[in-house]
Amino acid sequence: MIITNIPEKNRDLYHRVAQSISGYNKILLSYSGGLDSTVLLDILTTLRDHFNNLVSYPFSIRAIHIQHNISKYANDWAIHCFKQCNVRNVPLSVVHIKYPTTDNKKSNIECLARNIRYNILFNHLNSGEILLTAHHLDDQTESFFLALKRGSGPLGLSGIKQTILTNKNKCKLLRPLLDFSRKELKIYANNKKLTWIEDDSNFNTKFDRNFLRIKILPLLYNRWPHFNKVVTRSAKLCEDQENLLKELLSNTLKTVINSKDYYSLSFKPLFQYSALKRRAIIRLWLSMLDIKMPSYQLTNRIWNEVVLSKQDAQPSLQLSNCICRRFKEKLYILPINMKYSFKTTKLDWNKIHNTILLPTNLGLLLRYPLNITLHTQKKLPCLNSSIIKKLQPNILCNYIKNFNKILTVCTVRPPSAHEQVSILFGHTNNTIYIVNKRHGKYLKKIWQEFNIPPWLRSRIPLLFYNNTLISAIGVFITKHGRYYNTNNKKNNTLSWQISWVQDTSTYKIFKQSIKIQLE
Ligand SMILES: Nc1ncnc2c1ncn2[C@@H]1O[C@H](COP(=O)(O)OP(=O)(O)OP(=O)(O)O)[C@@H](O)[C@H]1O
């Protein structure tokens, strides 16, 4: 296509972005307010408002800014982003992040911030929308060097991808500026007199990426001006090789992972393969989960220390941002916070409150009296606004709106006037008699029978009335907690319906593991 009215110096940029977004009519721009995403914001709005002949059909743009609250200037940046979007007629969402204090180590913060950011960005995508980030060529070179420093193989060295697909092979993220250098973007920004923010932490060479950008790469660019383009070529070759491997192993991979549960892998069939092929399969699996590639050594440890550990051991190996565990001939990838257990936690649940907040990210329990028979209990009730309105503190209402996945619901008898209600985690030493089972058993045995992996056992809320276990929420109800419907309309006691509400990611992990109870 001949573009006549675009200034020549910007032609390539406009053309490339137009080409990338062609076919998408709803764009969500990940906007930090820095140079790169400001350039992308300006190009997108210029295309939308002035050069829409370059794109196949009209498109809308909205932007999202993640306020990490690490820098003292975080508020000013959000205001800057708001103003820049406002003048360009682009609606902006600002999402605040609070970091868990336990993970607040400096070296970790970059990685943690990135993981949280991508999680939020993908969760904010509306149907039919495509996410755009403004990564560029220099980011690619830096990533290549960082992968080299970690001792990564071809997958890690293949660097930042131009596009990221969903599990169903649909495109969900595009990086249209990946072929342009920071220098080229800066020229564009200066020509158009754009204003952007400089993150103060960008100058801190304690961070590996900054160290490379400030101290090392300028030397290389000075000697070999096209160095970053050459690095991209190597990255591309690594990517090709990796894709070929993926193609060759895709059928084998299907035999060890279930398309409904990518977070676990059956390792038994891997015994028949060479160590080389095993490693390749494990790495491919981790890459599907978007996990930063572990080193050669760490991949071997997954096999030697997790798969091959003693039958009764409970192995756990930390990878960069997750942990790898084993349970019943399967490997599991779990979020890092699954390391912590709540064994000593006891929460008193005052009967006048119908909600109770659980520790960390376990969500909350919600109780409401219900007059239903056991037979009509099959369908899980949704958390509708009438239930939300019944909750007293506003803060909990907000919590529920954001974390609105109900893991499971159980129906138990209400406590009597002299019974204290509490929630405990972990174990109890008493014999437990559960509904529909003849014999009493220890809790450990029951967890095993229900296939509850060890890491979930200390995270399932145990409902107690005084010292009596009533229910492991979502897993079982004890005989002491059984609700008897008298079916006598005059004398109808209300049951307690207890829902466990979780955020989306934790919900998925629990749901996979206790699906037997839910189905
Ligand atoms: N706070 C933020 N809010 C929204 N988008 C952001 C934010 N920070 C970065 N981005 C998006 O991510 C792109 C890459 O930014 P940057 O290179 O600083 O991130 P990074 O942490 O190194 O991430 P990556 O590992 O993906 O390269 C930016 O161009 C922008 O599109």
Side-chain angles (χ1 to χ4, degrees):
M1 184 184 313
I2 298 164
I3 310 156
T4 47
N5 46 354
I6 295 181
E8 184 159 351
K9 52 187 182 274
N10 298 332
R11 246 179 225 178
D12 283 353
L13 271 166
Y14 285 120
H15 212 163
R16 172 55 58 87
V17 176
Q19 214 174 30
S20 303
I21 61 167
S22 218
Y24 301 102
N25 58 3
K26 285 192 220 162
I27 284 166
L28 175 62
L29 171 67
S30 180
Y31 179 46
S32 64
L35 167 74
D36 329 329
S37 50
T38 304
V39 168
L40 188 53
L41 173 72
D42 190 78
I43 295 176
L44 285 169
T45 47
T46 311
L47 285 173
R48 178 194 65 187
D49 302 338
H50 305 294
F51 302 128
N52 52 15
N53 56 324
L54 284 187
V55 280
S56 43
Y57 41 86
F59 61 94
S60 65
I61 314 166
R62 65 181 189 104
I64 178 167
H65 175 76
I66 313 290
Q67 190 172 329
H68 288 291
N69 291 315
I70 299 172
S71 163
K72 59 180 177 194
Y73 303 112
N75 251 337
D76 300 342
W77 295 345
I79 293 168
H80 170 90
C81 290
F82 178 76
K83 285 184 184 157
Q84 292 299 315
C85 285
N86 205 26
V87 290
R88 292 176 173 85
N89 217 356
V90 171
L92 173 77
S93 311
V94 177
V95 180
H96 295 254
I97 298 182
K98 257 194 165 176
Y99 291 93
T101 41
T102 41
D103 278 312
N104 237 350
K105 272 195 241 141
K106 276 242 162 186
S107 56
N108 233 350
I109 204 92
E110 254 184 312
C111 174
L112 185 71
R114 180 178 308 119
N115 287 337
I116 296 181
R117 190 168 76 224
Y118 277 107
N119 249 330
I120 295 175
L121 292 174
F122 288 135
N123 276 334
H124 264 76
L125 271 177
N126 291 332
S127 134
E129 213 168 33
I130 182 101
L131 182 68
L132 260 62
T133 62
H135 289 90
H136 49 69
L137 199 58
D138 299 52
D139 289 327
Q140 181 68 295
T141 312
E142 290 157 17
S143 294
F144 187 89
F145 273 80
L146 290 172
L148 210 52
K149 183 217 140 211
R150 286 197 305 272
S152 304
L155 185 59
L157 295 172
S158 63
I160 304 172
K161 308 263 170 301
Q162 198 112 37
T163 54
I164 293 186
L165 306 177
T166 64
N167 288 336
K168 289 182 184 148
N169 262 351
K170 276 192 167 171
C171 185
K172 64 172 175 177
L173 188 150
L174 287 175
R175 295 178 171 125
L177 301 183
L178 205 51
D179 292 337
F180 297 90
S181 65
R182 182 179 284 119
K183 201 169 156 192
E184 286 168 292
L185 300 187
K186 199 155 183 188
I187 292 173
Y188 176 94
N190 286 336
N191 283 340
K192 294 216 54 186
K193 299 195 171 34
L194 302 182
T195 52
W196 64 90
I197 49 178
E198 287 290 359
D199 182 341
D200 43 324
S201 75
N202 278 347
F203 302 101
N204 185 346
T205 48
K206 266 198 239 156
F207 296 122
D208 290 342
R209 193 177 276 276
N210 295 345
F211 169 73
L212 275 173
R213 197 183 57 245
I214 296 166
K215 300 268 187 204
I216 304 296
L217 293 174
L219 284 176
L220 302 175
Y221 294 150
N222 244 340
R223 176 147 185 131
W224 301 295
H226 297 298
F227 188 77
N228 54 7
K229 299 225 155 126
V230 182
V231 169
T232 304
R233 204 184 308 152
S234 296
K236 185 84 194 99
L237 288 170
C238 290
E239 192 183 351
D240 275 5
Q241 193 183 320
E242 209 41 46
N243 286 339
L244 175 67
L245 198 62
K246 219 184 261 180
E247 207 176 293
L248 296 175
L249 287 179
S250 70
N251 283 338
T252 315
L253 199 64
K254 277 185 204 147
T255 63
V256 290
I257 57 172
N258 177 332
S259 60
K260 287 193 186 136
D261 171 13
Y262 290 115
Y263 286 85
S264 66
L265 174 145
S266 309
F267 57 74
K268 214 171 158 196
L270 301 193
F271 280 95
Q272 61 184 304
Y273 303 132
S274 68
L276 199 65
K277 188 163 173 183
R278 261 190 329 244
R279 269 199 302 271
I281 292 172
I282 292 176
R283 293 170 76 83
L284 196 56
W285 173 51
L286 297 179
S287 78
M288 280 175 64
L289 301 177
D290 250 347
I291 287 165
K292 198 195 239 170
M293 265 313 102
S295 62
Y296 177 83
Q297 218 180 12
L298 206 52
T299 321
N300 278 335
R301 287 180 62 196
I302 295 180
W303 187 256
N304 294 333
E305 293 174 27
V306 185
V307 174
L308 298 183
S309 69
K310 280 201 219 128
Q311 196 72 26
D312 57 350
Q314 295 188 4
S316 168
L317 182 69
Q318 181 164 346
L319 307 179
S320 68
N321 47 356
C322 58
I323 46 175
C324 180
R325 298 206 57 171
R326 185 194 76 188
F327 181 63
K328 300 216 163 171
E329 301 191 334
K330 276 188 172 187
L331 281 175
Y332 285 82
I333 290 297
L334 303 164
I336 207 124
N337 56 19
M338 282 281 171
K339 276 199 312 195
Y340 311 116
S341 101
F342 305 105
K343 272 190 182 154
T344 51
T345 310
K346 178 180 180 219
L347 307 166
D348 288 324
W349 193 351
N350 189 326
K351 276 182 252 176
I352 60 162
H353 292 139
N354 46 15
T355 54
I356 186 165
L357 206 47
L358 302 174
T360 319
N361 59 349
L362 284 185
L364 58 84
L365 295 180
L366 169 70
R367 160 185 76 72
Y368 44 103
L370 260 200
N371 190 356
I372 56 165
T373 67
L374 286 173
H375 307 289
T376 56
Q377 189 206 325
K378 281 178 198 138
K379 203 165 169 18
L380 303 183
C382 292
L383 197 58
N384 58 34
S385 55
S386 70
I387 295 172
I388 290 177
K389 270 186 215 142
K390 283 187 199 153
L391 303 171
Q392 299 104 7
N394 275 342
I395 191 156
L396 286 181
C397 294
N398 281 335
Y399 187 87
I400 286 179
K401 273 184 216 152
N402 294 331
F403 288 71
N404 58 359
K405 284 272 181 195
I406 294 185
L407 177 75
T408 183
V409 175
C410 72
T411 308
V412 292
R413 70 167 173 86
S416 63
H418 63 272
E419 281 177 321
Q420 285 292 325
V421 183
S422 52
I423 298 294
L424 277 95
F425 294 88
H427 60 269
T428 134
N429 289 327
N430 301 333
T431 309
I432 294 162
Y433 293 87
I434 67 175
V435 170
N436 296 335
K437 299 268 181 201
R438 196 130 51 100
H439 302 293
K441 285 185 183 147
Y442 286 126
L443 188 54
K444 187 171 176 195
K445 200 85 203 129
I446 299 177
W447 290 144
Q448 284 169 351
E449 282 182 12
F450 278 107
N451 276 323
I452 307 289
W455 54 89
L456 292 189
R457 293 176 192 173
S458 73
R459 305 179 147 255
I460 292 176
L462 302 176
L463 175 71
F464 276 80
Y465 293 166
N466 291 341
N467 291 325
T468 307
L469 179 62
I470 297 298
S471 170
I473 308 291
V475 185
F476 61 80
I477 294 167
T478 68
K479 289 187 177 162
H480 303 287
R482 183 181 209 146
Y483 165 65
Y484 289 98
N485 187 4
T486 58
N487 257 347
N488 171 351
K489 279 191 183 141
K490 276 189 196 154
N491 189 15
N492 223 347
T493 45
L494 292 177
S495 66
W496 263 25
Q497 186 91 0
I498 298 182
S499 305
W500 183 5
V501 188
Q502 300 212 325
D503 72 89
T504 316
S505 55
T506 331
Y507 168 82
K508 271 191 210 149
I509 292 159
F510 274 87
K511 194 169 169 220
Q512 274 157 20
S513 306
I514 54 179
K515 59 183 164 229
I516 308 150
Q517 282 69 54
L518 296 172
E519 280 162 1

